Amino acid sequence: MRRRLAAVAFALAVGAAVMAMAGDSPLEAYAALARGAAGDSTALFRTLARATPLLLSGLAVALALRAGLFNIGAEGQLLCGALAAGWVGFALPPLPAAVHLPLALLAGAAAGGAWGFVPGLLRAWRGTHEVIVTIMMNYIAILLTHYLVNDVLRDPSSLAIATPFVRPAARLPAVGGNSNLSAGFGIALAMAVAVSLLVRRTPFGLGTRAVGLNAEAARTAGIRVGPLMVAAMTLSGALAGLAGAVEVLGVHRRFLDAFSPGYGFDSIAVALLGNLGSAGVCLSALLFGALGAGAPYMEALSHVPRQLVGVVQAVVILAVGARYVGRRG
């Protein structure tokens, strides 16, 4: 924990140094950032809303890493889940909310799980490295959803590049006024508890941790490494797909082209900073959510470009990720 706090402090110090060299006041900028992230209840709700997809996709990356698999494809799985949830949300005939909303959420998780199943299967069956496959599948998902929402599924009555709005019965209830915070945050917290129990209290979790520590030793001990890898990647993809579904059903109410600012990519840093544990991922998702929610206020009040937050996040990734990769190597 201390090393991760040190990594965050180092990243903030680097950001402050960059601001100072540019002639800006780091104290003024960070004060504006904190005000935008947690200055009042609305700001806090914005932070929680921003943290929701990061928490789910961060859990996805962490679960795969527990099994020794580097899931770089959370962004693609998130987009597939978002599109599937959006389609179920508007294409099905009117249904009760108790049926329609769960169906839409399940469709998102299933689509993301299917997108994660492929690299897991290739890794277990042919030994193809999941990093290469998931990166390529990110491009496929980005371009495929872009095509579908621009052509096949586009709402002809809207100027926006988007699908039709989902039916009211398929929408997640809003809980934070105009902050975009929805009941999806509760779903994300429930998934954090579920993943923690899965990893710590089940034979699957024990096998996952064993494979992640040493696959050959796990195989010698009688663990079926291949099927476990496939299951871990599928569950990882399902969590990322659920993140996309929550965004569509709780925030945008339809699939918007390029709606994700890179939640799937940021989730890698969220998982690493959270040390792959559910509680740690929750805290790191809140941190990244706060940075994302506060960045526009920092830019507006101190005139420091919001892109500086991206620099801080990148330094966090370097500080934490480099150590992690080195340890696993």
Side-chain angles (χ1 to χ4, degrees):
M1 175 60 77
R2 283 182 297 178
R3 290 178 177 176
R4 280 158 180 77
L5 291 176
V8 173
F10 175 68
L12 292 174
V14 170
V18 172
M19 284 186 271
M21 287 188 289
D24 297 311
S25 168
L27 289 178
E28 182 182 342
Y30 282 147
L33 181 71
R35 183 178 174 186
D40 52 33
S41 60
T42 302
L44 188 58
F45 288 153
R46 279 197 303 268
T47 293
L48 297 180
R50 186 90 177 189
T52 299
L54 292 172
L55 172 51
L56 284 167
S57 52
L59 289 170
V61 175
L63 182 61
L65 277 169
R66 285 283 190 185
L69 301 167
F70 223 131
N71 181 12
I72 309 295
E75 181 72 8
Q77 294 148 15
L78 182 149
L79 291 175
C80 290
L83 188 64
W87 182 83
V88 169
F90 77 79
L92 293 187
L95 295 169
V99 176
H100 205 161
L101 178 56
L103 278 178
L105 291 171
L106 284 174
W115 215 250
F117 170 79
V118 175
L121 180 65
L122 290 175
R123 173 61 187 271
W125 180 35
R126 304 296 297 174
T128 310
H129 204 290
E130 74 280 0
V131 170
I132 304 299
V133 179
T134 51
I135 288 175
M136 293 299 104
M137 291 192 72
N138 272 340
Y139 284 110
I140 295 172
I142 291 170
L143 296 175
L144 180 62
T145 55
H146 178 72
Y147 161 70
L148 290 174
V149 76
N150 267 279
D151 190 349
V152 182
L153 301 177
R154 183 168 183 173
D155 182 1
S157 65
S158 174
L159 294 176
I161 303 175
T163 64
F165 284 101
V166 301
R167 297 183 185 277
R171 298 177 182 179
L172 284 165
V175 296
N178 296 322
S179 64
N180 285 335
L181 181 62
S182 74
F185 184 68
I187 294 175
L189 289 178
M191 287 299 104
V193 174
V195 169
S196 178
L197 293 175
L198 178 70
V199 171
R200 295 176 179 274
R201 301 292 177 87
T202 68
F204 172 79
L206 178 62
T208 298
R209 285 181 287 153
V211 172
L213 290 172
N214 191 317
E216 289 305 317
R219 186 177 286 109
T220 302
I223 295 175
R224 300 179 64 195
V225 174
L228 191 142
M229 285 183 169
V230 176
M233 280 298 289
T234 302
L235 285 175
S236 175
L239 286 167
L242 189 59
V246 165
E247 277 295 284
V248 165
L249 303 176
V251 178
H252 306 291
R253 313 296 191 189
R254 58 180 174 171
F255 184 93
L256 280 166
D257 189 30
F259 76 90
S260 172
Y263 290 126
F265 299 116
D266 290 344
S267 64
I268 299 169
V270 169
L272 294 178
L273 185 62
N275 200 26
L276 311 187
S278 290
V281 170
C282 287
L283 293 175
S284 58
L286 287 174
L287 172 64
F288 278 72
L291 291 174
Y297 284 80
M298 181 183 73
E299 185 177 63
L301 297 179
S302 67
H303 306 294
V304 174
R306 69 182 70 185
Q307 287 77 12
L308 186 77
V309 167
V311 174
V312 173
Q313 292 176 340
V315 175
V316 170
I317 295 172
L318 286 173
V320 178
R323 172 181 171 271
Y324 181 84
V325 171
R327 185 183 65 187
R328 295 187 67 81

